[in-house]
């Protein structure tokens, strides 16, 4: 099976190790990974800020970038969720709307792809310690994806998973929200950090880099010795 990697701009610019882990996990499962170099941002920051025309320009670029892909896999629930907005953005153009529908239909978040498409629940990963998992808003509210990450994490050898209190609460990132509403965002992430600490976890795991950057930044400023890991990194641990 061949897939095209939608790496996302946050991973490309700030967390390339997550992209590397994603490729290594997929290749270990027998998947051939290609990287369309014309991909850029999916347009989510512009979309969240109300810039429709700029978002449409980004959407059309991404549709072209992945036009020939059989499957598109991304280690980001929020960026996959943005692809689901494309048909609505382009609804006034029948041709572009159809292409947007096709892209949305063949795009999968990493854990979704592994569990639902490859039918793999144990990737052979091993990580010793106690961890808790941040579900992220886009994964749970927009994609309604709750089982796949926990299924894979439950089979990571030596990893003890602890439930996160108030896991459904937002971490305060919300893309441009954390910039425009910084004081509120700070209070929200402080609450999330407190909930993480209550679990006694050594690791906080998530599937969206925006959330992990926000949580990790606050943990660092508060000098909390909790390691932040993207689920791709955990699944790539041996």
């Amino acid at each position: 099976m061949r897939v095209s990697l939608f790496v996302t701009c946050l991973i490309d610019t700030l967390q390339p190790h997550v992209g590397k882990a994603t490729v290594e996990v997929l290749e270990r499962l027998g998947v051939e990974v290609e990287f369309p170099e014309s991909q850029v941002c999916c347009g989510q920051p512009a979309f969240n800020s109300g810039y429709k025309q700029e978002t449409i320009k980004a959407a059309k670029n991404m549709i072209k970038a992945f036009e020939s892909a059989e499957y598109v896999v991304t280690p980001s629930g929020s960026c996959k969720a943005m692809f689901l907005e494309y048909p609505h953005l382009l609804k006034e153009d029948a041709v572009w709307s159809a292409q947007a529908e096709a892209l949305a239909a063949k795009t999968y978040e990493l854990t979704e792809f592994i569990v639902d498409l490859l039918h793999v629940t144990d990737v052979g990963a091993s990580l010793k310690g106690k961890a808790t998992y941040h579900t992220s808003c886009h994964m749970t509210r927009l994609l309604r994806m709750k089982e796949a990450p926990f299924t894979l994490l439950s089979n990571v050898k030596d990893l003890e998973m602890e439930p996160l209190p108030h896991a459904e609460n937002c971490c305060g990132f919300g893309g441009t929200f954390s910039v425009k509403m910084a004081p509120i965002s700070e209070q929200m992430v402080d609450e999330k950090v407190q909930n993480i600490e209550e679990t006694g976890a050594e690791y906080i795991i998530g599937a969206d880099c925006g959330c992990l950057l926000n949580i990790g930044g606050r943990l660092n400023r508060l000098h909390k010795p909790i390691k932040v890991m993207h689920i791709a990194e955990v699944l790539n641990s041996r």
Side-chain angles (χ1 to χ4, degrees):
M1 183 181 289
R2 177 184 294 179
V3 305
S4 292
L5 175 65
F6 169 26
V7 77
T8 81
C9 52
L10 279 182
I11 292 175
D12 185 43
T13 57
L14 298 174
Q15 295 187 313
H17 53 281
V18 175
K20 181 174 182 288
T22 299
V23 172
E24 291 179 352
V25 168
L26 290 171
E27 289 183 339
R28 197 163 63 245
L29 294 174
V31 178
E32 182 181 348
V33 182
E34 62 180 11
F35 182 81
E37 294 186 6
S38 58
Q39 64 178 287
V40 288
C41 178
C42 65
Q44 188 174 153
F47 180 73
N48 290 342
S49 300
Y51 295 103
K52 182 178 179 180
Q53 294 307 313
E54 288 78 2
T55 307
I56 288 175
K57 183 178 179 181
K60 288 182 176 180
N61 178 80
M62 295 299 269
I63 289 170
K64 289 179 181 178
F66 293 103
E67 187 175 13
S68 62
E70 181 180 3
Y71 298 102
V72 179
V73 176
T74 180
S76 170
S78 67
C79 292
K80 177 196 165 167
M82 187 61 213
F83 274 13
L84 301 182
E85 296 290 344
Y86 285 3
H88 306 293
L89 280 168
L90 299 165
K91 64 183 179 181
E92 296 176 5
D93 187 312
V95 174
W96 277 108
S97 181
Q99 292 177 327
E101 290 279 5
L103 176 59
K106 66 182 180 182
T107 300
Y108 295 85
E109 184 272 333
L110 176 63
T111 63
E112 174 191 26
F113 181 78
I114 293 173
V115 174
D116 295 345
L117 266 290
L118 298 182
H119 304 293
V120 172
T121 57
D122 187 342
V123 300
S126 175
L127 180 66
K128 188 174 181 60
K130 182 184 291 187
T132 193
Y133 182 81
H134 170 64
T135 56
S136 86
C137 295
H138 282 89
M139 288 279 282
T140 55
R141 292 174 172 81
L142 296 183
L143 300 183
R144 300 187 183 281
M145 193 182 306
K146 301 178 181 179
E147 301 300 327
F150 289 101
T151 297
L152 291 168
L153 290 172
S154 68
N155 288 312
V156 175
K157 184 180 178 182
D158 296 326
L159 184 64
E160 180 185 350
M161 293 298 300
E162 291 289 335
L164 180 63
H166 307 293
E168 70 282 358
N169 288 356
C170 178
C171 72
F173 178 62
T176 54
F177 172 83
S178 61
V179 177
K180 294 180 178 179
M181 303 289 183
I184 299 174
S185 175
E186 181 179 327
Q187 292 181 47
M188 293 170 73
V189 74
D190 277 345
E191 182 180 86
K192 183 64 66 174
V193 167
Q194 181 181 342
N195 292 333
I196 293 168
E197 283 191 292
E198 288 177 14
T199 69
E202 303 163 68
Y203 305 100
I204 172 64
I205 303 168
D208 273 306
C209 281
C211 298
L212 295 179
L213 285 168
N214 191 45
I215 295 169
R218 196 57 180 157
L219 286 169
N220 183 58
R221 287 178 177 83
L222 295 173
H223 306 291
K224 304 293 184 180
I226 300 171
K227 185 174 181 179
V228 177
M229 295 186 74
H230 189 281
I231 194 167
E233 297 176 275
V234 177
L235 298 179
N236 198 41
S237 299
R238 313 274 294 173

